[in-house]
């Protein structure tokens, strides 16, 4: 909050109102940021994705699963030897053309993880990446909520000063 | 300058030269082989000299993607050649001759063109007599169509064929198996009391009994590593390179019958009964040995041993017959 200039001293009544709305905003912010979400019971299922690997991309390059799912990735290379390594899960598999390889794991860590090619497959090999998303991105929604609260707080304080 | 100073200087200079030169000299004795995709030149150098009884040391590195190194018809584990890494390989040859070394990891459409030779000199210089392959002694024309005029309604089953073969005491020598197509054997069973379907089942059982589970597994592995990229994992001629081969065929038409060549460019479909039931093991061996004369089918004669080729053929027939697991 901006320190209010001396020429415009708020009355004690105004000050109380101001403190009250500040407290309200901060509380709302804490709730948005840290309130536990109602747990939605999601029954884990088995999912299979066929990922086609070619120089220098995966298609599909983004896969989304729910926490607890048993995920099977079938890697099919269509030009040279490629691999797939999933960050944080620390698992990998490689596939030669004509020999598809599968990778099965339980998605027990929520969040977004890069997967990348772990076999040097040519000039742009370092840029061959994709994304595995486990569960919904709650922090995104929480930060949107916080941003909205901040905007609200700014407008309220402006109004009170006016 | 005084004499001792001169000697000291001389010694120091000589020492430095030796310290720098000796490792350089030794390192230069083993040239580094560079592996690149076939389109960019393949192996460089691709001709290596060696001698019988003297271990051959090779240093290989890759300039682009992952390659592999193995020598054909030798019992050796293939070695991966990684970019930015120098791999040391030591080979021992006990017979003189010309060996083919080749890439073992798929590195693109023309991966199989990545080959080189090792010329091994030395004694014994009397080469062992080599018998010509079956298709030569049988005078088979590899490029003529060998279609089966009649095909079974359902997939023949070796499981049903086993009791039928035993009760009718049908036998077929190994030599007859190699030189006859499934359709030939089916025709020869005319004189039995079996129905057409039963005759096909007997053929399936005969074909299954000409391989062992070990050979079959070996053939399956060879197929996955060397054939599936074009012919497809299920033998349907739809491997990941099938379309690329057709496009490559279109762009490389320089023959009198260009249109025909383009058709030949797509890999053969092993699930097609007309084609497979009319082909004898000897014919398939010829095709694998010699390769496909401008179709993009590699020549495997210098890479696979005869035993490996028979294992592979036994596996290829399994796309036609239902075998016991």
């Amino acid at each position: 909050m901006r320190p209010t200039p001396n020429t415009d001293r708020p009355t004690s009544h105004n000050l109380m109102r101001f403190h009250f709305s500040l407290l309200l905003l901060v509380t709302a912010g804490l709730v948005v940021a840290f309130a536990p979400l109602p747990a939605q019971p999601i029954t884990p299922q088995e999912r299979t994705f066929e990922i086609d690997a070619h120089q220098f991309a995966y298609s599909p390059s983004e896969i989304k699963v729910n926490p607890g799912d048993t995920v099977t990735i079938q890697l099919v290379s269509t030009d040279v030897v490629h691999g797939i390594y999933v960050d944080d899960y620390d698992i990998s598999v490689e596939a030669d053309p004509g020999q598809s390889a599968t990778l099965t794991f339980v998605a027990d860590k929520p969040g977004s993880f890069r997967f990348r090619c772990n076999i040097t497959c040519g000039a742009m090999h370092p840029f061959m990446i994709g994304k595995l998303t486990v569960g919904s991105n709650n922090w995104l929604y929480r930060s949107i909520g916080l941003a909205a609260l901040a905007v609200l707080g700014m407008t309220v304080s402006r109004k009170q000063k006016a | 300058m005084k004499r001792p100073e001169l000697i000291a200087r001389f010694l120091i200079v000589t020492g430095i030269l030796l310290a720098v030169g000796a490792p350089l000299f030794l390192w230069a004795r083993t040239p580094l082989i560079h592996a690149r995709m076939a389109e960019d030149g393949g192996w460089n150098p691709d001709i290596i000299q060696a001698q019988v009884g003297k271990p051959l040391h090779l240093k290989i590195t890759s300039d682009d993607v992952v390659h592999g190194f193995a020598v054909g018809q030798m019992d050796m584990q293939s070695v991966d050649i990684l970019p930015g890494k120098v791999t040391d390989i030591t080979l021992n040859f006990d017979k003189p001759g010309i060996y083919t070394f080749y890439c073992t990891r798929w590195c693109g459409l023309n991966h199989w063109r990545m080959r080189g030779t090792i010329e091994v000199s030395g004694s014994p210089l009397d080469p062992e007599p080599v018998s010509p392959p079956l298709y030569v002694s049988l005078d088979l024309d590899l490029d003529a169509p060998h279609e089966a005029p009649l095909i079974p309604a359902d997939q023949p089953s070796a499981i049903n064929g086993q009791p039928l073969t035993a009760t009718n005491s049908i036998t077929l020598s190994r030599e007859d198996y190699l030189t006859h197509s499934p359709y030939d054997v089916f025709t020869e069973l005319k004189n039995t009391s079996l129905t057409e379907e039963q005759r096909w089942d007997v053929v399936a059982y005969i074909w299954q009994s000409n391989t062992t589970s070990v050979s079959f597994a070996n053939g399956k592995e060879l197929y996955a590593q060397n054939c599936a990229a074009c012919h497809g994992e299920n033998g349907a001629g739809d491997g990941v390179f099938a379309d690329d081969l057709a496009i490559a065929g279109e762009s490389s038409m320089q023959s009198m019958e260009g249109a025909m060549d383009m058709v030949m460019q797509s890999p053969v479909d092993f699930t097609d009964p007309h084609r497979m039931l009319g082909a004898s093991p000897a014919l398939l061996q010829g095709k694998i040995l010699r390769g496909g004369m401008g179709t993009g089918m590699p020549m495997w004669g210098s890479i696979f041993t005869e035993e490996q080729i028979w294992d592979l053929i036994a596996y290829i027939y399994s796309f036609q017959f239902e075998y016991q697991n």
Side-chain angles (χ1 to χ4, degrees):
Chain A
M1 299 306 298
R2 262 187 342 188
T4 42
N6 290 346
T7 49
D8 185 26
R9 273 200 96 95
T11 59
S12 67
H13 175 70
N14 269 0
L15 201 67
M16 262 186 61
R17 249 183 56 186
F18 170 73
H19 276 191
F20 176 71
S21 45
L22 185 69
L23 188 72
L24 205 68
L25 273 171
V26 170
T27 319
L30 287 173
V31 167
V32 167
F34 298 110
L37 290 175
Q40 307 150 334
I42 303 168
T43 40
Q45 28 178 304
E46 303 214 345
R47 291 161 183 267
T48 304
F49 298 91
E50 185 177 301
I51 297 187
D52 171 301
H54 48 93
Q55 287 169 320
F56 296 95
Y58 293 106
S59 59
S61 63
E62 280 196 32
I63 56 177
K64 289 192 168 77
V65 299
N66 291 323
D69 281 359
T70 303
V71 184
T72 301
I73 292 175
Q74 193 179 17
L75 187 67
V76 179
S77 291
T78 55
D79 45 25
V80 308
V81 191
H82 291 288
I84 189 168
Y85 169 88
V86 186
D87 282 7
D88 268 28
Y89 280 88
D90 197 22
I91 44 172
S92 65
V93 75
E94 56 182 73
D96 282 66
Q99 310 173 64
S100 56
T102 54
L103 184 66
T104 306
F105 62 98
V106 178
D108 49 4
K109 297 178 194 158
S112 279
F113 306 94
R114 258 287 164 248
F115 56 80
R116 53 187 87 238
C117 186
N118 60 342
I119 302 277
T120 314
C121 59
M124 307 288 275
H125 158 71
F127 304 99
M128 190 167 162
I129 49 179
K131 196 165 84 175
L132 163 75
T133 307
V134 181
S136 58
N137 196 344
N138 291 334
W139 277 111
L140 176 70
Y141 305 130
R142 288 181 194 264
S143 43
I144 289 173
L146 283 175
L149 268 180
V151 171
L152 186 76
M154 301 259 293
T155 43
V156 167
S157 68
R158 288 239 168 120
K159 273 223 173 94
Q160 283 179 354
K161 276 197 201 93
Chain B
M1 246 190 285
K2 293 197 183 75
R3 176 170 295 192
E5 195 182 347
L6 252 180
I7 291 172
R9 281 181 180 223
F10 175 77
L11 279 177
I12 286 167
V13 169
T14 323
I16 289 172
L17 281 179
L18 266 178
V20 173
L24 270 178
F25 174 76
L26 286 175
W27 184 79
R29 290 281 300 274
T30 324
L32 183 64
I33 300 169
H34 287 263
R36 288 185 193 159
M37 286 185 183
E39 295 86 334
D40 301 329
W43 303 101
N44 182 18
D46 60 353
I47 299 175
I48 302 165
Q49 309 289 342
Q51 278 180 345
V52 170
K54 254 178 80 172
L56 172 68
H57 297 290
L58 297 175
K59 292 191 311 198
I60 313 181
T61 187
S62 162
D63 293 349
D64 43 28
V65 302
V66 176
H67 295 288
F69 176 94
V71 179
Q73 300 188 331
M74 267 177 94
D75 188 22
M76 72 170 278
Q77 271 292 318
S78 65
V79 186
D80 280 1
I81 309 293
L82 304 176
K85 238 182 108 169
V86 176
T87 309
D88 285 298
I89 299 171
T90 303
L91 297 170
N92 286 297
F93 297 94
D94 48 11
K95 283 201 204 88
I98 293 180
Y99 294 77
T100 301
F101 66 92
Y102 63 107
C103 180
T104 56
R105 299 299 299 264
W106 280 98
C107 56
L109 190 59
N110 291 306
H111 147 78
W112 58 273
R113 293 183 189 271
M114 238 184 110
R115 293 183 182 182
T117 49
I118 302 176
E119 296 171 358
V120 183
S121 55
S123 57
L125 275 176
D126 47 341
E128 291 171 28
V130 177
S131 52
L134 264 179
Y135 79 94
V136 175
S137 45
L138 294 173
D139 203 21
L140 285 176
D141 180 358
L142 296 185
D143 301 307
H146 296 262
E147 301 253 312
L150 188 74
I151 57 164
D154 303 312
Q155 195 177 46
S157 151
I159 303 148
N160 301 343
Q162 183 170 9
L164 294 170
T165 314
T167 49
N168 292 278
S169 56
I170 300 162
T171 54
L172 192 74
S173 70
R174 174 77 181 168
E175 196 182 337
D176 282 340
Y177 156 78
L178 294 178
T179 54
H180 290 68
S181 71
Y183 177 74
D184 294 340
V185 178
F186 167 80
T187 318
E188 280 177 27
L189 291 170
K190 266 205 316 268
N191 311 326
T192 56
S193 58
L194 300 170
T195 65
E196 284 203 358
E197 192 187 347
Q198 288 174 323
R199 276 154 60 195
W200 280 119
D201 289 346
V202 168
V203 170
Y205 177 68
I206 291 174
W207 251 250
Q208 182 193 281
S209 57
N210 266 287
T211 181
T212 62
S213 55
V214 175
S215 293
F216 189 81
N218 188 21
K220 185 175 182 170
E221 193 185 348
L222 285 171
Y223 181 88
Q225 286 169 354
N226 300 290
C227 319
C230 300
H231 291 281
E233 278 177 277
N234 302 318
D238 58 353
V240 292
F241 289 142
D243 301 347
D244 295 343
L245 282 168
I247 295 163
E250 263 175 89
S251 60
S252 69
M253 281 193 305
Q254 289 175 351
S255 68
M256 308 278 281
E257 324 154 68
M260 283 300 295
D261 279 1
M262 199 174 81
V263 176
M264 286 165 59
Q265 285 287 343
S266 34
V268 167
D269 175 359
F270 298 133
T271 59
D272 172 10
H274 284 284
R275 195 179 175 107
M276 291 304 293
L277 298 177
S280 64
L283 178 82
L284 296 181
Q285 185 206 24
K287 286 176 182 276
I288 296 171
L289 279 174
R290 187 204 66 176
M293 294 302 221
T295 61
M297 166 76 185
M299 173 263 209
W300 294 101
S302 59
I303 294 200
F304 292 154
T305 59
E306 189 167 345
E307 191 190 352
Q308 284 176 318
I309 295 183
W310 292 130
D311 292 352
L312 195 50
I313 288 168
Y315 178 71
I316 292 172
Y317 277 116
S318 75
F319 297 123
Q320 287 302 322
F321 302 130
E322 191 190 338
Y323 287 167
Q324 273 154 319
N325 290 332

